[in-house]
Amino acid sequence: MYDPTVARLTYRALLGRRRALVLGALPLLLIVISVAVRALTGADDQTASDVLGGFALATMVPIIGVIAGTGAIGPEIDDGSVVYLLSKPLKRPTIIFTKLIVAIAVTMVFSAVPTLIAGLILNGNGQQVAVAYTVAALVSSIAYSALFLLLGTVSRHAVVFGLVYALVWEALFGSLVPGARTLSVQQWSLAVAHKIADGPLVTSEVGLPTATVLLVAVTVLATWYAGQKLRSLTLAGEE
């Protein structure tokens, strides 16, 4: 289910100079903000939770997920180079699964690691805030990667749709419309973080059992459907 050659090519595509600069911009900004906030306000648990929840988890993680998830396959489909990959004796689910693993790894490195560093800077992991949000970033990285990899497989405008979901649905509607929070990867990951954090600083609109089921279901279904779409793309090319 995992092909090293496909993984190497995908890593090379995702970590090229231009895309690596984009991937590193938000984590760097998070660290700078955290240093500035700590210098101005000192160590404060509520402030740390606000920064990590409002910027790291709500903005940085989904945007990095969009870049990594769609970038793992979207450009190959757009420029037609995916035909070369599909001509190899590889099962289509293997291609998708390998690209998903790479997208998850890249998203985790560029989101969870900076989140942990920022949390330690802000309050030294007081009330387990840094660890809680880091775990939330790790968990959401998996679901976001699967969702946005699927978008990259089915649409040429995957980045636009991904940003609409991340910034409009989750950040805007998720904060204003209570019902929309149930269908939010951010809220699902916050349910996991809530279990880890000490005290009421980290909260979620979704219970942990429901969040766990939805995270697994979305990841599995998105990965499966992406494999099916890639198979149909191959058949269309052969016709």
Side-chain angles (χ1 to χ4, degrees), residues 28-46:
L28 179 60
L29 179 59
L30 173 64
I31 301 300
V32 171
I33 291 174
S34 300
V35 171
V37 169
R38 177 61 185 266
L40 292 173
T41 66
D44 181 78
D45 295 341
Q46 183 62 61

Side-chain angles (χ1 to χ4, degrees), residues 45 48 119 123-130 198 201:
D45 295 341
N123 76 332
N125 196 37
Q127 298 194 52
Q128 295 292 310
V129 168
D198 296 330
L201 287 175

